[in-house]
Amino acid sequence: MFNLRNAAVSPMNQLLVTLRYYATGCSQLTSGDFAGISYTTAHRVIHRVSNAIASLRPQYVSFPESQESIRKTQLQFYNIARFPKVLGAMDCTHVRIMSPGGMEAETYRNRKGYFSLNVQAICNADLEFTDIVARWPGSTHDSTIFNNCYRHALFEDRRYGDAVLLVDGGYPSKPYLLSPLENPITEEERLYNESQIRSRNTVERLFGCWKRRFPVLSLGINVKLNNTMAIIIATVVLHNILRKAGEDLPPDDPDLMLPAPWAALLGEGDITRGRLQDGQRKDAVRRALISNYFRSLV
């Protein structure tokens, strides 16, 4: 599948060239020089392998659909901090890209001032991606991405019953989107917030693990936009494969030359954290959960 003309580069070497690019964020020219191949060959190799890996997404990135998988996911989240009915934690993070050029290039510049794709992810309690959307410009608000995605339509159609997603305050309140209270007052409200934040933290940990494992996501993907999305999805697939195989979480690499500390790079997705006032929310489900469930735990 991967062989180029005259089988000049073996499939294994093509994979290694691609993985080196993901792991270092170097240019395709540098990746080619390291492997002893030309820039044009490295370019073809990296994008061909990335597309092949990305095509495995349906096999390795799947949202809970059966009753058994839904119950299993909800139990795993419940075991974190006793928050019920959670089907996933959702958030967005920014992946650096080079300027795509053209009349709409500035739509890809986010509030931090650099070009990016705003990538939406839903994860389970095992730090695995269960849903990924990687096509929106960096200036797009998190809630806009969700409102226009396939998963939103399914939740609106009540496909998942009373299951919920945990989100931060940048999302609107819906029966299936539960965010923390801005100003908790009562004991049950504080307990709700603690449980919600601890459970939702899985998606923040996922982003940290993913970007440490594939530094190209933080350093910047220096290829054309139509090739960037396949690289993002390919790293998601590889991350899930490693998680399912029980691979340890990657530590910080002190020898990796980063433009900013890891904490700053991993927090670059947190640019749309503006909270809506509680008085503007129609949050009957959240209020009922606090009154009927978390009050009983106090």
Side-chain angles (χ1 to χ4, degrees):
M1 181 178 181
F2 297 124
N3 283 340
L4 302 178
R5 184 178 301 174
N6 299 325
V9 184
S10 70
M12 179 57 70
N13 283 338
Q14 293 183 50
L15 178 61
L16 293 176
V17 167
T18 305
L19 293 179
R20 178 175 175 79
Y21 175 73
Y22 296 167
T24 63
C26 62
S27 68
Q28 295 176 88
L29 176 62
T30 303
S31 295
D33 286 346
F34 181 82
I37 58 180
S38 68
Y39 165 79
T40 55
T41 299
H43 172 84
R44 289 196 300 268
V45 163
I46 291 171
H47 298 307
R48 185 175 296 188
V49 173
S50 294
N51 279 291
I53 297 174
S55 70
L56 300 176
R57 170 182 169 174
Q59 182 178 347
Y60 290 101
V61 183
S62 58
F63 199 79
E65 298 289 350
S66 68
Q67 288 301 313
E68 180 181 357
S69 62
I70 289 174
R71 284 195 297 269
K72 178 182 177 181
T73 300
Q74 291 178 330
L75 178 60
Q76 290 173 332
F77 272 106
Y78 180 83
N79 289 336
I80 295 175
R82 301 185 69 182
F83 204 107
K85 303 178 182 179
V86 179
L87 200 51
M90 181 174 69
D91 204 354
C92 289
T93 188
H94 287 264
V95 173
R96 287 176 178 263
I97 63 172
M98 69 179 188
S99 171
M103 297 295 292
E104 298 183 355
E106 284 303 308
T107 64
Y108 289 86
R109 190 186 299 276
N110 62 39
R111 288 174 56 190
K112 292 288 186 178
Y114 61 88
F115 295 100
S116 70
L117 288 176
N118 195 7
V119 178
Q120 175 186 282
I122 303 176
C123 76
N124 61 23
D126 290 330
L127 305 188
E128 296 174 359
F129 289 90
T130 58
D131 194 77
I132 185 76
V133 179
R135 64 177 181 273
W136 287 83
S139 64
T140 311
H141 194 278
D142 295 2
S143 61
T144 300
I145 299 174
F146 180 68
N147 288 338
N148 288 275
C149 76
Y150 176 66
R151 201 61 55 192
H152 169 263
L154 295 182
F155 272 97
E156 283 288 321
D157 197 40
R158 308 302 293 170
R159 169 75 67 87
Y160 305 108
D162 60 356
V164 299
L165 297 174
L166 299 183
V167 296
D168 63 29
Y171 290 88
S173 183
K174 292 180 178 290
Y176 50 83
L177 293 182
L178 296 184
S179 60
L181 294 165
E182 185 176 5
N183 297 303
I185 298 174
T186 65
E187 192 63 28
E188 56 264 29
E189 288 178 345
R190 287 191 287 268
L191 185 59
Y192 165 87
N193 261 21
E194 178 183 353
S195 180
Q196 198 274 355
I197 292 169
R198 287 177 58 191
S199 301
R200 187 183 62 82
N201 187 52
T202 52
V203 72
E204 304 293 349
R205 293 175 57 208
L206 167 68
F207 288 149
C209 175
W210 180 46
K211 289 187 176 182
R212 290 199 306 274
R213 183 165 272 149
F214 303 105
V216 69
L217 301 169
S218 291
L219 295 169
I221 303 178
N222 54 357
V223 302
K224 292 183 178 179
L225 185 61
N226 60 335
N227 292 321
T228 297
M229 299 171 191
I231 291 174
I232 294 173
I233 299 302
T235 61
V236 167
V237 170
L238 292 173
H239 170 86
N240 275 10
I241 290 174
L242 292 171
R243 290 299 297 155
K244 292 178 186 300
E247 182 78 9
D248 293 337
L249 296 179
D252 288 349
D253 185 351
D255 296 325
L256 184 62
M257 300 301 294
L258 295 172
W262 271 116
L265 289 173
L266 300 181
E268 286 174 348
D270 302 338
I271 66 173
T272 55
R273 290 296 189 258
R275 294 188 180 280
L276 303 174
Q277 294 298 317
D278 287 338
Q280 297 174 329
R281 292 179 179 274
K282 297 179 179 179
D283 56 355
V285 171
R286 183 172 66 174
R287 279 296 165 189
L289 187 63
I290 293 172
S291 300
N292 300 330
Y293 175 72
F294 283 97
R295 180 175 296 174
S296 68
L297 300 180
V298 174

